Amino acid sequence: MPVAKELTSLTHGTLGRTQWPLLIGLSLVFFTLLALYCAVLSVLLPNQIEMIDRAHKAGDLAVVFAITSIFSTLTTPIAGALSDRTRTRWGRRTPWIVLGSIGGAACLAAVSQMRELWSITTFWVGATVGLNCMQSALTTVVADRFPPQQRGKVSGFVGGGMTAGGTAGIVLAGHLAWNITLAYLVFALAIAVVCVGFVIVNPEPPLTAATPGRFDLGGFLKSFWVDPRKHPDFAWAFFGRFTLYMGYQGIVTYLLYILQDYISLSIDQSNRMIASLSTVTFFALVIAGFGSGLLSDAIGRRKPLVFAAGLLMTAAMTVPLLTASIAAMYAYAVLIGIGYGAFMSVDMALMTQVLPKTDGESTGKDLGILTTAVNIPQILSPVLAAWLLSTFHNDYRALFIAAIAFVFCGTFLVLPIKSVR
């Protein structure tokens, strides 16, 4: 009977009894991972870099983000492709999840002890490489172990966990900013514990796919090229995600400095305000994330929800442009929470349905390529933001205008996708 119930749940798109621990585990890991990323990128690194060189903080932050994001961009698809080829008694994804999380956590803990820009960059690079190895393997679990008719619900839960985690991470980091070492250690320990716990509670099922052929470096490198003429939906999904994140990252990365230099708050007030804004965003993210994922499966459509989410994110960034005030930042927090929460939850499901192959043998590689659409903006957007601030004499309105343009354009790139409704 349990097997029959599981088969029925697969057919009707509902989750079976044995799938709930997997779904909860995925949500918890992504919650922790995004909490870590947002805490470090939005609060801890900006504070740490400002203590080193306050006069050049924006440029220094851009350099650190650009260098580390280059490594992140390269790591994600390569680690995904290598995990596709991995064959061990524990599975092909598990070793990458465990070793990546532990290695990343160790490097993250080391960042807290660094007092020079070059050493902070070096260990943050090590942390991002390890964490991206883990993330690329973990992302494939949605495609590996859930059928398409369940992925809206799954993506809703995972996306809700990610967006809630990002908010919770900023809130916690804002309150721990007085003790940088403690803050880094909290997040480092958390990611290692939840990842190891995930693979223990949710062991990989036996792999039935054939053993991959002999490794060929030339063929391996060529496999990363996905011809947009043969797979236009994959290309539209990539560029839509890329463009939208170019705008989103530009604001999130400089949020602490926006509060200081645009809203005119002190450093302490800015750290507290980030925590307050993130608390507001948290509730909007959770409601929008879970609700949009369930709605997406119920109506059998992804594109309209992704499109609407992009428009809400555009509106969120327009409010602070019109008026530089605390009230405007709270309005931004609410709208960005609803828009980004809906986008994250449904976009993940959409990405799994535009992959060039459906045999599971290149899932890690293909999802890794789509993940670079998030990583590359982490390289480019801080550099572009630093250039805009330098060119326009630290006028943050230029940053908001550029972000609005990117998000608005990226919203429309989802419409040409034909294989997903």
Side-chain angles (χ1 to χ4, degrees):
M1 286 298 290
V3 174
K5 289 181 179 178
E6 289 296 323
L7 292 175
T8 301
S9 71
L10 292 177
T11 303
H12 291 89
T14 57
L15 291 167
R17 183 175 56 189
T18 61
Q19 292 173 302
W20 280 104
L22 178 61
L23 177 57
I24 294 170
L26 276 175
S27 301
L28 180 60
V29 173
F30 276 109
F31 174 94
T32 307
L33 180 64
L34 266 292
L36 183 159
Y37 277 141
C38 291
V40 173
L41 298 177
S42 296
V43 181
L44 302 183
L45 274 179
N47 274 285
Q48 199 172 6
I49 289 171
E50 186 168 16
M51 287 188 289
I52 295 173
D53 186 1
R54 185 173 184 178
H56 302 95
K57 60 185 181 182
D60 291 344
L61 188 66
V63 170
V64 174
F65 284 179
I67 291 173
T68 53
S69 295
I70 289 171
F71 284 89
S72 297
T73 301
L74 295 174
T75 299
T76 304
I78 292 173
L82 291 175
S83 75
D84 288 335
R85 298 180 58 86
T86 299
R87 298 293 186 273
T88 71
R89 58 180 293 186
W90 302 283
R92 53 179 173 173
R93 314 297 183 193
T94 298
W96 294 88
I97 294 172
V98 172
L99 297 178
S101 63
I102 293 174
C107 289
L108 183 64
V111 173
S112 68
Q113 302 303 306
M114 300 301 110
R115 299 295 180 264
E116 300 289 339
L117 192 65
W118 69 266
S119 57
I120 290 173
T121 305
T122 300
F123 281 99
W124 178 234
V125 164
T128 55
V129 168
L131 294 174
N132 274 277
C133 285
M134 176 271 288
Q135 185 180 354
S136 64
L138 200 65
T139 303
T140 63
V141 172
V142 176
D144 284 347
R145 300 167 73 171
F146 293 97
Q149 62 267 29
Q150 291 181 347
R151 292 177 191 168
K153 294 181 180 68
V154 173
S155 296
F157 274 86
V158 175
M162 292 172 72
T163 50
T167 303
I170 293 174
V171 172
L172 180 58
H175 288 297
L176 293 178
W178 61 274
N179 190 331
I180 292 291
T181 298
L182 175 62
Y184 275 111
L185 290 177
V186 166
F187 290 104
L189 181 62
I191 194 63
V193 169
V194 297
C195 285
V196 173
F198 173 80
V199 299
I200 293 174
V201 175
N202 301 284
E204 275 190 71
L207 184 63
T208 58
T211 302
R214 183 178 179 181
F215 182 80
D216 173 37
L217 180 60
F220 179 75
L221 295 176
K222 289 179 181 178
S223 70
F224 289 100
W225 169 247
V226 179
D227 192 339
R229 294 170 297 182
K230 295 181 180 178
H231 307 286
D233 286 352
F234 186 86
W236 284 118
F238 179 93
F239 286 111
R241 198 181 221 196
F242 169 86
T243 308
L244 191 142
Y245 269 95
M246 276 294 293
Y248 176 75
Q249 289 288 349
I251 301 300
V252 171
T253 300
Y254 283 89
L255 185 57
L256 182 68
Y257 300 160
I258 287 171
L259 293 173
Q260 291 180 34
D261 302 334
Y262 185 61
I263 308 299
S264 302
L265 302 180
S266 68
I267 295 176
D268 290 340
Q269 288 174 328
S270 297
N271 280 314
R272 289 195 296 270
M273 180 56 67
I274 279 186
S276 297
L277 293 175
S278 298
T279 301
V280 172
T281 301
F282 173 82
F283 293 101
L285 285 168
V286 172
I287 294 170
F290 288 115
S292 58
L294 294 172
L295 178 60
S296 176
D297 273 359
I299 65 176
R301 299 174 74 88
R302 317 285 191 210
K303 287 164 48 178
L305 294 176
V306 173
F307 182 80
L311 292 181
L312 278 174
M313 292 173 68
T314 303
M317 295 170 181
T318 303
V319 178
L321 174 65
L322 298 177
T323 173
S325 66
I326 293 176
M329 294 308 299
Y330 275 111
Y332 162 84
V334 173
L335 291 173
I336 204 69
I338 297 172
Y340 188 62
F343 173 80
M344 284 287 289
S345 63
V346 182
D347 181 65
M348 181 179 290
L350 187 147
M351 292 297 133
T352 65
Q353 293 180 243
V354 297
L355 302 181
K357 296 180 181 179
T358 58
D359 57 8
E361 288 303 295
S362 62
T363 301
K365 184 257 301 176
D366 293 333
L367 285 174
I369 293 172
L370 288 174
T371 301
T372 64
V374 178
N375 292 337
I376 294 175
Q378 292 177 0
I379 303 171
L380 301 179
S381 62
V383 175
L384 175 61
W387 176 81
L388 287 170
L389 292 175
S390 175
T391 302
F392 292 95
H393 309 291
N394 218 39
D395 188 345
Y396 280 84
R397 289 177 297 180
L399 206 59
F400 281 108
I401 291 171
I404 290 167
F406 275 114
V407 173
F408 187 71
C409 292
T411 298
F412 284 86
L413 295 182
V414 72
L415 298 181
I417 295 175
K418 297 179 179 179
S419 61
V420 182
R421 296 177 60 198

